[in-house]
Every structure is written in C-alpha cells, then in structure tokens.
Amino acid sequence: MLWVIGITALATSLVLIVLQNFKTSERVLERKIEHRYAVFDPQFRREMSVLLGPAIVHGNQVTALQNGNEIFPAMLQAIRSAQTSITFETFIYWSGEIGEKFSQALSERARAGVAVSVTIDWVGSTKMEQSLLDSMKAAGVQLHQYRPLRWYNFGRMNNRTHRKLLVVDGRIGFTGGVGIADQWTGDGGDPEHWRDTHFRIEGPVVAQLQAAFNDNWIKTTGQLLNGPSYFPALKKEGEMAAHVFVASPSGGSESMHLMYLLTIAAADATIDLAASYFVPDRLLIEALVAARDRGVRVRILLPGPHIDELTVKIASKAEWGALLQAGAEIYVYQPTMMHTKLLVIDAEFVSVGSTNFDIRSIRLNDEASLNIYNSDFATQMTAVFEADLLAAEPYSLARWESRPLRQKFAEKVLLPIKSQL
C-alpha cells in the first residue's frame, strides 16, 4: 500500500512540475489595442520609449547582413579586433566548421588578455561537443551554459535564452536570427543553408545591447560586467533612432507582446512580416485583421516546404484562415528554411532580433529585440523583404480550406500545447 502512495505522490509531483512550464506572466493583455496614431506620429515614439523599457536613443548606424556569407565574416572580424571585452550570448551553438571558427577566435582573444564572457543556452548547445567547451574554458573564456537541467529547476526547463547578442569592446554590436551552426553558412540558396538576416550596430544603442547581455549574465553568474571596458562613452555613428529591449518570463515577458500589438495598431498603410515560427495568439490575429479592416496591406512571409519544426508548421497553419479571409497576403518561402525575423511598418519602423512571432517567444523564452525608427532603413528592409517574396509562393484561402482532414485533426491535437511549440 505504501509503495502505491509513494508512486502516486511522485507522479503527482512530476505532473505539477511539468505544468509549471505552462505558466505565463501574470501581466497579460486581454483586449485589442486600438488604432490611435500612426508610426510617424511623435506619440508613437513617446509611448514605445516608456512602455518597452530603454528609451529610444539617436545617432546609431545599423547595417543589415544577409546569410552566412555576410554574417559570419563580419562577426568574426569584430571578435578578432577586440581590445578590451567580448560578450556573447546565443541559443544555438553546435559543433562544426563555423562553431570551430568562433571557438578559435574567442579563445585567441582570451589568451591575448581580452575579457571574453559567453553565455550559451544549455538546450541549444546539446549538439556541441564537450571538447569545444573545454578548449574555450582552457583558453580563459568565461563560459556558462544557461539553465542546465537540474532537479531543482525542472519546473523552468522550458525557459530558455533565445537571445543572439554579440558586443565587442562595448562599441560594436550584433543581433538577429543567426545561430552558430553550419546550416547558417553559405548564401541561403539551398535546403542545407538557411536564409537569415543579422545586423551590425554602432552608436549609443550598443550600450543597451550590453545591458541585455548583462541581464542573463547576472542570473547565471551573479556577476555584473561594468566599467569602461563594457560601457565606454559612445559617440554618434549615424542618423538612426533605435532602442533594444528584452523579455523573459521572470520579468517583462509581455513587452514583446505589447510591442507587436502597438506597432500593428499604429500601421496606416503596410505591414510586412517575415516570421520563421508563426504561432500567434488571439490578440495578435485580431490586431492583424483589424489592420486589414482599416485598409492596411498585410504581407506575411513564412517557411514553406523546408522547416525544422514540423509541429510548428502544423500549429501555425490553423491560424491562417482568419487572416486570409480578411485579405492578408501569405507567402511560403521555397528554396530553404526561412529563419528571418523582420517586421516593417509603413516604411518607417523596423523591428529585428531573436524574437519569433509565436507564443513561446513572447511568454517563455528570454528574447531581445532591436527597434529602428528610420525611413531610409525601413525602405531598405522592405526591398529585402520583397526580394525574398520573389522566392516564395502565394498561399490562397482556397488552398487553406482544402487542406487534408488529417492536417486539420493534427492542428486540433496541438492546440492545447500551442504555447510550448
């Protein structure tokens, strides 16, 4: 009898622990945000500055880098030029050719006396050989894996850092969608090489990237990285206004949700969204439909036949009907996995970073996003978006309505766990 009670108690405890992973922030928006102003209205910037965290700062230069052929050389060049500090946080870091190159570059700078601090997500580094970790640590890299699985944190196993942050000497920053793995190398032109965009950043907003890195570094090590090696005086480098804000379940998880809802509500003419994982909640769907109702052109670019998460593909498609019925244009990318995360509003506002347009990114992951308020840059990113559309196929309402019954059934099965995908 006692063993039955014991097994029951253990099973109950395990269920309760697993259910902890389904908890979301207490601060959850419940009502649609109304269209009160446009993105070019000063009121939009005022509210974005105070509601999302760090204020918008001016004098920045952001350069868009396309695919591994542009992204990795720029990141490695910056690392190899480091004189005082390197801070680097990523979700995916796998063994392979590009993983070895980053390891060697980080290790060489550490041996040269540069303070190198690296945070890698424990789940995202499961395909990373221990020897690669050991070699960096032996070289003097201060390397920590974020939330390795332990009995005492099993209830938070689903809270991963999905941030992609690199800051060199406190002056040059990078963020975007790319992970450190060989599928991101190349030009994104075939199924073995993913399509992605990353961004090189200079100017005062780099200090906010550094603060974003410090957020999880403190959680992981209890140590604050500060002083002029990390936060030097930053001069004007360009004409772009921008800010970086973070989100995590432990604080500010609704910031991403709020950002998406505020920007969609402010759209007057166009919304261009490239989303590698598209599993929006009810409010985001309603916001996009409301934008269509007031005449906004909504174009959504999503992965097509090549996607690394089949469950996401199935769950995502369940949400397309309402959007297609409202007149939104959905396109599915054909050549390879489309991993870009990009939102452009009215050729005036751009949001990039690690955040996906799904519930997991909004409420479970630790994320960081860079918002840029600059019409020239927005026009440039619209051109990038439209170039990707040339390699995509339009997806019609008729096609959605005629999808197989087994697919509709799978969508229903995944509905209860949509937030975990």
Side-chain angles (χ1 to χ4, degrees), residues 1 9 36 50 81 91 153 162-163 191 233 251 257 335 342 386 406:
M1 186 66 175
R36 302 187 188 280
V50 296
S81 72
F91 175 63
N153 68 2
H162 194 246
R163 297 171 185 169
H257 200 209
L342 173 68
E386 291 181 340
R406 65 179 181 277

Side-chain angles (χ1 to χ4, degrees), residues 123-164:
V123 170
S125 61
T126 52
K127 296 183 182 179
M128 186 180 190
E129 294 175 7
Q130 186 63 41
S131 60
L132 208 56
L133 294 165
D134 293 341
S135 66
M136 284 193 278
K137 291 178 180 179
V141 175
Q142 298 298 306
L143 189 153
H144 296 271
Q145 288 176 291
Y146 188 70
R147 292 220 168 103
L149 186 60
R150 302 285 188 267
W151 67 267
Y152 52 80
N153 68 2
F154 195 71
R156 301 178 72 183
M157 65 180 179
N158 235 355
N159 172 210
R160 312 314 315 171
T161 180
H162 194 246
R163 297 171 185 169
K164 284 90 173 176

Side-chain angles (χ1 to χ4, degrees), residues 5 23 30 32 34 80 115 118 155 171 202 206 250 253 270 316 326 329 364 375 382 399:
I5 294 172
K23 280 185 65 177
E30 295 180 351
K32 178 167 65 76
E34 299 299 329
R80 291 165 181 155
V118 177
R171 298 182 182 279
E202 292 180 280
V206 174
S250 60
S253 66
T270 58
S316 172
E329 302 167 41
L364 290 177
S375 58
T382 298
R399 183 176 172 186

Side-chain angles (χ1 to χ4, degrees), residues 259-282:
M259 187 275 288
Y260 282 133
L261 292 171
L262 281 169
T263 53
I264 292 169
D268 261 350
T270 58
I271 297 171
D272 290 332
L273 172 67
S276 50
Y277 306 103
F278 183 79
V279 190
D281 68 352
R282 174 185 57 84

Side-chain angles (χ1 to χ4, degrees), residues 28 109 144 153 188 216 218 231 261 369:
V28 177
R109 286 291 81 197
H144 296 271
N153 68 2
N216 275 342
I218 292 169
F231 293 98
L261 292 171
S369 279

Side-chain angles (χ1 to χ4, degrees), residues 3 5 38 46 54 60 71 112 138 144 150-151 156 161 164 177 190 195 221 227 314 319-320 325 365-366 381 396 421:
W3 68 270
I5 294 172
R46 275 196 293 272
N60 305 289
I71 296 165
H144 296 271
R150 302 285 188 267
W151 67 267
R156 301 178 72 183
T161 180
K164 284 90 173 176
D190 61 79
R195 168 76 184 99
T221 69
I314 294 169
E319 312 293 349
W320 296 8
Q325 287 169 354
N365 289 342
D366 291 1
M381 296 316 299
S396 68
L421 300 177

Side-chain angles (χ1 to χ4, degrees), residues 25 27-29 247-248 252-259 362-363:
S25 167
R27 184 172 69 114
V28 177
L29 289 164
S248 72
S253 66
E254 281 303 299
S255 295
M256 291 298 173
H257 200 209
L258 184 60
M259 187 275 288
I362 290 169
R363 296 198 175 132

